[in-house]
């Protein structure tokens, strides 16, 4: 059974919202934090609803609305979201108030809005969508799990379209804590120089990307969704290679049939060793590009990669900012997204042109 | 009483994050819920917290809620009844 990506909506550190020209004016960021380029939400969300929404909720709701609008779907059959951090800003507000107010007289809004299912719930409330609604909070597999759930719903015939999204935000508190953990580069770096230096740490990112997946072609889809898999803590690079080859075998394709690999390189020498090794083995003769210089590192960044891949296939062009060499010189018809985070969460997504 | 009503409007706007409203946009007798300002049950909880935090008044009987929170004026009257030194 074939599945299709019918529409997308994306708010990211690049100009992606509102379907502008495909990354023709890439946004350069300095420092180690890439904040999303946000629209004026009042054009998309009722003012009365906005007042309670934190940034990630607004980002998620607006991206979802844009996606549905493009698809021409008023109420999706199901809403599935993936987020590792959830609504961090509200969580930070609530926890700070607990401390400041000695656990007394706590305002309810931040608490109510702090749960991980808030974005999916808000979308459903705004649409009056009473269908299946689920959120996956599985660290580096959050978006992948949401996608898998959506694909299963479609394959089992529960519905013929699913709104699925991945989203995470950076806040002052989370950025400070994760910097202390050594996740981000200590020295300021421009995002487009991410891969030119060899140092520890990466750059923080955030975003909300939504997709309308459908079980039937609209004849105007972005791409066909072929398959997805994930694997956890491989023992060594050999095991990683075996997982990749096994996935491709299940999809009945050879590595040489992949036109482009989009990798999750993040500029951290430690994390990027895995990609270095694979480019000498299973990915040796395949063109590859990276995407985290555009959106930064966050647990659901694969949703940005999927948006990127879907747009490459639909537009038939690879944005110049990706530095695509096009060695093979052939048209891009099949893209493999390979992502791994700290050699723990690995995932593969295969999509192809319709 | 007039000052209390003014203060309450400012506090309600801040507590409920009513971004597009100014104190003068809220009528003294305008209903706060449904057809008036359009507040809802989460706002009601916020208003209970506001009363406790700003005026040290605990709404002892939940059934009094609709009456107390009908408008800014009824809130002010309730505050004066329980904290007569505030006017």
């Amino acid at each position: 059974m074939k599945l299709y990506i019918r529409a997308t909506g994306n708010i990211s550190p690049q100009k992606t919202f509102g379907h502008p020209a495909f990354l023709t004016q890439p946004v350069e960021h300095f420092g180690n934090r890439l904040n999303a380029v946000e629209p004026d939400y009042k054009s998309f969300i009722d003012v009365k609803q906005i007042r309670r929404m934190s940034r990630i909720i607004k980002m998620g709701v607006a991206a979802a609305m844009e996606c549905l609008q493009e698809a021409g779907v008023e109420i999706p059959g199901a809403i599935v979201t993936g987020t590792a951090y959830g609504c961090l800003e509200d969580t930070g507000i609530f926890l700070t108030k607990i401390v400041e107010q000695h656990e007394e007289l706590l305002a309810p809004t931040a608490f109510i809005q702090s749960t991980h299912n808030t974005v999916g719930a808000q979308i459903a409330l705004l649409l009056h969508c009473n269908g299946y609604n689920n959120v996956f909070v599985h660290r580096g597999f959050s978006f992948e799990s949401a996608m898998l759930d959506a694909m299963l719903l479609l394959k089992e015939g529960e519905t013929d379209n699913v709104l699925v999204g991945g989203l995470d935000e950076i806040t002052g508190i989370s950025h400070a804590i994760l910097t202390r953990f050594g996740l981000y580069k200590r020295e300021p770096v421009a995002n487009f120089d991410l891969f030119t230096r060899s140092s520890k740490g990466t750059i923080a990112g955030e975003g909300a990307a939504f997709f309308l997946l459908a079980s039937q072609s609209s004849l105007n889809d972005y791409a066909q969704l072929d398959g997805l898999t994930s694997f956890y803590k491989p023992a060594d690079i050999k095991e990683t290679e075996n997982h990749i080859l096994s996935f491709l075998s299940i999809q009945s394709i050879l590595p040489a049939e992949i036109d482009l690999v989009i990798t999750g390189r993040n500029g951290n020498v430690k994390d990027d060793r895995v990609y270095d090794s694979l480019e000498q083995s299973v990915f040796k003769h395949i063109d590859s590009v990276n995407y985290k210089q555009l959106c930064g590192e966050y647990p659901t960044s694969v949703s940005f990669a999927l948006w990127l891949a879907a747009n490459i296939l639909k537009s038939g062009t690879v944005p110049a900012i990706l530095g695509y060499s096009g060695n093979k010189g052939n048209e891009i018809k099949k893209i493999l997204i390979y992502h791994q985070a700290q050699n723990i969460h690995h995932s593969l997504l295969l999509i192809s042109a319709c | 009483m007039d000052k209390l009503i003014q203060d309450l409007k400012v506090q309600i706007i801040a507590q409920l994050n009513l971004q597009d409203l100014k104190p003068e946009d809220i009528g003294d007798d305008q209903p706060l819920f449904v057809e008036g300002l359009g507040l809802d049950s989460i706002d009601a909880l916020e208003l209970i917290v506001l009363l406790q935090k700003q005026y040290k008044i605990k709404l002892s009987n939940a059934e009094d809620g609709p009456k107390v929170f009908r408008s800014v004026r009824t809130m002010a009257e309730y505050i004066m009844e329980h904290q007569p030194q505030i006017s």
Side-chain angles (χ1 to χ4, degrees), chain A residues 163-192:
Chain A
L163 179 68
V164 57
L167 53 141
D168 274 303
E169 68 175 329
I170 326 166
T171 67
I173 294 172
S174 74
H175 185 259
I177 292 171
L178 295 174
T179 299
R180 223 162 55 213
F181 287 172
L183 250 70
Y184 306 133
K185 291 193 185 298
R186 300 281 173 178
E187 74 282 4
V189 58
N191 56 326
F192 297 137

Side-chain angles (χ1 to χ4, degrees), chain A residues 245 248-249 251-259 286 334:
Chain A
L245 292 172
L248 295 180
S249 165
Q251 300 302 322
S252 306
I253 62 162
L254 297 166
E257 291 176 78
I258 297 166
D259 300 307
I286 311 170
K334 224 172 238 313

Side-chain angles (χ1 to χ4, degrees), chain A residues 14-330:
Chain A
Q14 297 299 318
K15 290 175 188 165
T16 50
F17 189 73
H19 298 295
F22 182 34
L23 294 175
T24 51
Q25 292 178 302
V27 180
E28 190 161 24
H29 298 258
F30 294 94
N32 63 3
R33 180 173 172 172
L34 276 60
N35 289 317
V37 177
E38 296 177 78
D40 177 10
Y41 294 110
K42 286 176 188 166
S43 318
F44 308 94
I45 311 168
D46 184 79
V47 176
K48 277 185 183 168
Q49 311 278 350
I50 279 183
R51 68 191 170 95
R52 282 207 196 107
M53 293 184 183
S54 63
R55 230 160 49 82
I56 189 66
I57 302 173
K58 286 185 277 195
M59 281 163 58
V61 168
M65 294 305 168
E66 183 185 50
C67 180
L68 290 173
Q69 205 172 40
E70 188 187 28
V73 169
E74 282 184 21
I75 299 180
I79 299 170
V80 189
T81 52
T83 174
Y85 298 145
C87 301
L88 270 183
E89 190 181 320
D90 281 315
T91 306
I93 290 170
F94 183 66
L95 292 176
T96 304
K97 292 237 163 109
I98 284 179
V99 176
E100 286 176 355
Q101 293 172 207
H102 308 288
E103 300 182 22
E104 287 183 348
L105 299 175
L106 300 170
T109 301
F111 170 66
I112 292 167
Q113 303 286 88
S114 69
T115 55
H116 285 71
N117 62 348
T118 305
V119 175
Q122 281 287 355
I123 297 166
L125 279 170
L126 290 170
L127 298 174
H128 302 288
C129 173
N130 299 314
Y132 179 92
N133 195 308
N134 207 351
V135 59
F136 289 85
V137 184
H138 298 330
R139 298 190 177 186
F141 285 154
S142 301
F143 175 66
E144 288 83 343
S145 303
M147 284 289 291
L148 190 59
D149 192 26
M151 291 164 75
L152 288 170
L153 285 168
L154 292 169
K155 289 197 171 184
E156 289 170 3
E158 294 287 329
T159 177
D160 60 7
N161 70 68
V162 180
L163 179 68
V164 57
L167 53 141
D168 274 303
E169 68 175 329
I170 326 166
T171 67
I173 294 172
S174 74
H175 185 259
I177 292 171
L178 295 174
T179 299
R180 223 162 55 213
F181 287 172
L183 250 70
Y184 306 133
K185 291 193 185 298
R186 300 281 173 178
E187 74 282 4
V189 58
N191 56 326
F192 297 137
D193 292 335
L194 186 62
F195 306 113
T196 58
R197 318 172 170 208
S198 189
S199 62
K200 283 185 185 170
T202 181
I203 49 177
E206 62 181 6
F210 275 80
F211 306 88
L212 200 283
L213 303 186
S215 52
Q216 284 169 2
S217 168
S218 70
L219 303 178
N220 191 31
D221 300 301
Y222 277 74
Q224 189 179 304
L225 183 58
D226 298 328
L228 174 153
T229 193
S230 57
F231 51 99
Y232 184 71
K233 281 189 180 173
D236 51 31
I237 195 71
K238 196 74 207 156
E239 188 183 330
T240 301
E241 288 169 8
N242 288 340
H243 277 294
I244 294 169
L245 292 172
S246 159
F247 173 71
L248 295 180
S249 165
I250 290 166
Q251 300 302 322
S252 306
I253 62 162
L254 297 166
E257 291 176 78
I258 297 166
D259 300 307
L260 183 69
V261 175
I262 297 180
T263 82
R265 274 181 186 275
N266 66 9
N268 181 343
V269 279
K270 209 173 149 195
D271 289 343
D272 289 350
R273 274 180 209 141
V274 176
Y275 301 106
D276 293 337
S277 299
L278 292 172
E279 282 173 5
Q280 296 307 314
S281 56
V282 287
F283 297 152
K284 192 166 185 179
H285 300 293
I286 311 170
D287 287 321
S288 69
V289 295
N290 313 312
Y291 69 91
K292 285 185 184 163
Q293 72 278 29
L294 299 171
C295 67
E297 178 70 278
Y298 57 100
T300 49
S301 73
V302 171
S303 60
F304 183 93
L306 182 60
W307 172 87
L308 186 65
N311 275 278
I312 289 173
L313 290 176
K314 187 168 191 185
S315 67
T317 59
V318 182
I321 191 66
L322 294 179
Y324 170 63
S325 60
N327 288 334
K328 285 170 71 177
N330 53 341

Side-chain angles (χ1 to χ4, degrees), chain A residues 42 47-48 50-52 101 105-110 112, chain B residues 16-20 37 40 42-43 45-46 49 52-53:
Chain A
K42 286 176 188 166
V47 176
K48 277 185 183 168
I50 279 183
R51 68 191 170 95
R52 282 207 196 107
Q101 293 172 207
L105 299 175
L106 300 170
T109 301
I112 292 167
Chain B
L16 306 184
N17 195 23
L18 300 168
Q19 296 163 350
D20 283 6
L37 276 188
D40 58 23
I42 298 174
D43 296 312
L45 291 170
E46 291 282 0
V49 172
Q52 275 189 259
K53 207 153 78 177

